[in-house]
Amino acid sequence: FLAMLDERFDERLAQIERAFASDESPPEQARHAAAEFARSIRADPDHDRLFLEFASYALQEPGFREALIARFGTLRARMAEIYARRMESYGVDPPVPVDRVVRMVIAMADGWALWSLLEPESADDELFESMMEIFTTGIGALA
């Protein structure tokens, strides 16, 4: 599972890099990154179900929990590097530290993914795209 998760995280980072490489505005980039994330979730819904099972297992097994948390730490650090580079290229000084911005983005993505599994008709892709666009617009406005 951990090897599969590493691969999935690498795919996510590549998606973010592709979205940020465009000439679009940051809110448009966020919307497109969210759309790509949603497509990948829809393409492999079993992955998120499996992830939830392993997350539950991690709550009970400290060794596995540490391994899982370490991988999330690596993901967050790599995302923070990507976000920091992009904000710097736009001359944006984030209103909160970049690592906190990343944690917010991950929390929104995970929450949307969970509700997509539980109640797919109310957590459509447009909801996630709008959420990320609004969040990015808000970060820009506060900066």
Side-chain angles (χ1 to χ4, degrees), residues 54-74:
F54 276 97
S56 178
Y57 177 70
L59 294 173
Q60 302 165 37
E61 295 295 329
F64 183 74
R65 180 180 180 177
E66 287 180 25
L68 186 60
I69 288 171
R71 281 168 169 79
F72 270 107
T74 299

Side-chain angles (χ1 to χ4, degrees), residues 13-24 29 33 82 85-86 89-90:
L13 292 164
Q15 289 172 348
I16 294 167
E17 290 277 14
R18 280 192 301 274
F20 285 3
S22 77
D23 292 333
E24 298 172 317
Q29 290 172 350
I82 294 167
R85 279 195 319 265
R86 195 59 176 160
S89 74
Y90 278 106

Side-chain angles (χ1 to χ4, degrees), residues 60-136:
Q60 302 165 37
E61 295 295 329
F64 183 74
R65 180 180 180 177
E66 287 180 25
L68 186 60
I69 288 171
R71 281 168 169 79
F72 270 107
T74 299
L75 173 70
R76 286 191 312 269
R78 290 177 62 195
M79 285 179 69
E81 291 170 7
I82 294 167
Y83 278 59
R85 279 195 319 265
R86 195 59 176 160
M87 288 179 184
E88 184 178 322
S89 74
Y90 278 106
V92 171
D93 187 23
V96 296
V98 174
D99 67 312
R100 295 193 56 85
V101 171
V102 167
R103 285 177 185 268
M104 291 176 201
V105 167
I106 290 172
M108 287 186 286
D110 286 350
W112 176 84
L114 173 63
W115 284 106
S116 291
L117 290 172
L118 294 173
E119 196 177 4
E121 63 281 353
S122 71
D124 60 64
D125 298 359
E126 175 67 27
L127 172 69
F128 186 56
E129 293 171 30
S130 295
M131 185 168 52
M132 294 308 298
E133 179 180 26
I134 291 166
F135 176 76
T136 302

Side-chain angles (χ1 to χ4, degrees), residues 8 11-12 14-16 18-19 24 28-48 109 112-113 116 123-126 128-129:
R8 187 66 157 225
E11 291 170 13
R12 296 279 187 264
Q15 289 172 348
I16 294 167
R18 280 192 301 274
E24 298 172 317
E28 290 170 325
Q29 290 172 350
R31 179 175 274 285
H32 290 135
E36 192 165 337
F37 176 79
R39 277 191 296 277
S40 69
I41 294 291
R42 301 276 187 240
D44 187 8
D46 289 336
H47 178 273
D48 279 348
W112 176 84
S116 291
D124 60 64
D125 298 359
E126 175 67 27
F128 186 56
E129 293 171 30

